[in-house]
Amino acid sequence: MKAKNLHILYLLVSIAAMLYIIIRTLNVGVTYDECWTMNDFVNQSVLHIINFTPCDANNHIVNTLLIKLLFSLGNHSIYVARLPNVLAFIFYLYFSYLIANRFITGTIGFATFLLLLLNPFLLDFFGLARGYGIALAFEMGSIYYLIRFIRTKQTRYVLIALIAGAFAVLSNLALLNFWVSILWIIFLVSLAHNGFNFKKILISGIVCTAVLAAILYEPIRKLSEHKNLFYGGNNGFYSDTLVSLTKYTCYTPHVSSITYCLLNLFIIIFLVLVGVSCYFQHALLSDKNILLLILLSAIFATIVQHYFIGTLYLIDRTALFFYPLIILVLCYSVREFPLLFYGQIVLYFMVLCFGINFFNKANFYKTAVWYYDAHTKNILNLINEEGRKKGVKKSLDFSWPFQCSVKYYLAEKEYPFIENHQKDMWDFEPNADYYIYLGDSLEKVGYTPRRKNIIGKDTVLTYPNESVFLLRDTASK
């Protein structure tokens, strides 16, 4: 395909992806963790945000500080809070394009660009007020400048790569594994090969490490001391991290036999392409080999930390930074595959599969993780209208996963005919007129539905895809 036509395709896909993010930003209801961020962290001082006072891993430093900055302009809406991640998506697109078009090139490069975007779970986080989208943008920038450093041997690119990686960590602490990986690989490569100014590289690495360590010391100390690093798995990298990424890429919180089939098929394809390309491509400093080392190092660090210091395996959004690394290694392997035609056929087949999954799961109203918050505003509108018609306030209770979104909307004073009657987050308030019930378990955060307490209630609304139900007390008809 001609370069001009490819550039047009890159532009069209980028515009479509940006529109998708913007529409989701304006339409998806506020989620539990977004409310938590805005209520508990954004209002703190800059120093308290940085040193984790109050202490919780839900505070993503760069994201919180950017929201605080935007809120200082006067508008405290959720759309303003999501703006940093929307802008971060522009950088994610830009660096994805640079890597795909400049380094991988051609139709394989364009296929790489598509695979970096055709993940509905990944795109969720560029329209939310969380740190994950910002971290992914910094990660892609760090990867791009690392590759430029390896290719040009110019020390200035080391500093940019490390700074971008450090900001990725400050956007999401899970990327500390990524940052440590690129740091030691930079040292290893520059020490083992001629043409690199090891002294300058060493100084850059030490300075960046010292600054990042100074910033992170207090947050990590507090998180460890208060045992706040509780979100993760204990079963293994495959069972927790890879299975979790697969099921959420398929946009479902549930694991099925299909999840394992898709994951195992992908692993087989990945290992064959990478293994064969490594066997026939002997350039030690190839882009693929460097990225493969980063990927393996980050995986190794995750496993070692679990066994030696008891950290949990990364799951779902905390493990999302593995996705671009896996895709880039895969696509670079196709580029170096000796039987290029067959490698391309496999790659295009994967683009087709990822595309089908994306267009089947893409939506403008919910997220994969906080799916239960998708209909809260519609439910409140219905209850408020019912109260308005009867001229009385309707009392409301709800399963505790709804507490943040419900309180956020009620605090906006858009619902004068609704009264919050939640007294115990673990049980029903029997005298409430309405109850919003979540029928799914949320195992990692300790929610289990108590079905015995809803006996005798009338069902007013159902959202079966999200297991969300609006129940009404029979006496309140």
Side-chain angles (χ1 to χ4, degrees), residues 8 67 108 140 182 296 329 340-341 358 367 382 385 390:
I8 293 173
I67 295 174
I108 297 177
M140 292 304 291
I182 66 171
L296 294 176
V329 172
L340 183 60
F341 173 78
F358 177 81
T367 64
L382 184 147
E385 181 60 20
K390 296 185 177 181

Side-chain angles (χ1 to χ4, degrees), residues 110-121:
F110 183 65
T112 304
F113 186 69
L114 290 176
L115 287 176
L116 289 169
L117 295 177
L118 289 174
N119 186 328
F121 177 55

Side-chain angles (χ1 to χ4, degrees), residues 84-142:
N85 279 274
V86 176
L87 297 177
F89 186 61
I90 297 173
F91 290 96
Y92 181 83
L93 279 173
Y94 177 65
F95 288 115
S96 297
Y97 163 75
L98 289 180
I99 294 171
N101 186 57
R102 288 188 182 180
F103 299 151
I104 300 178
T105 71
T107 54
I108 297 177
F110 183 65
T112 304
F113 186 69
L114 290 176
L115 287 176
L116 289 169
L117 295 177
L118 289 174
N119 186 328
F121 177 55
L122 180 142
L123 294 190
D124 272 1
F125 293 97
F126 288 105
L128 296 177
R130 308 293 293 117
Y132 304 104
I134 300 171
L136 287 166
F138 278 121
E139 178 190 12
M140 292 304 291
S142 181

Side-chain angles (χ1 to χ4, degrees), residues 180-222:
V180 170
S181 299
I182 66 171
L183 178 66
W184 85 261
I185 287 168
I186 286 171
F187 286 160
L188 177 66
V189 168
S190 57
L191 183 63
H193 293 269
N194 295 326
F196 294 96
N197 190 328
F198 181 71
K199 183 178 180 181
K200 286 187 176 180
I201 291 168
L202 181 62
I203 292 172
S204 297
I206 291 174
V207 171
C208 288
T209 301
V211 173
L212 185 61
I215 296 172
L216 291 182
Y217 173 77
E218 191 65 7
I220 291 177
R221 183 193 68 79
K222 286 182 177 179

Side-chain angles (χ1 to χ4, degrees), residues 142-161:
S142 181
I143 290 171
Y144 170 74
Y145 285 107
L146 176 61
I147 295 173
R148 290 206 68 178
F149 160 68
I150 299 297
R151 289 188 170 206
T152 66
K153 299 181 173 62
Q154 294 185 38
T155 308
R156 63 192 173 110
Y157 293 131
V158 168
L159 189 58
I160 299 173

Side-chain angles (χ1 to χ4, degrees), residues 49-52 55 61 173 214-224:
I49 290 171
I50 294 174
N51 68 16
F52 273 46
C55 174
I61 296 173
L173 291 179
I215 296 172
L216 291 182
Y217 173 77
E218 191 65 7
I220 291 177
R221 183 193 68 79
K222 286 182 177 179
L223 288 170
S224 300

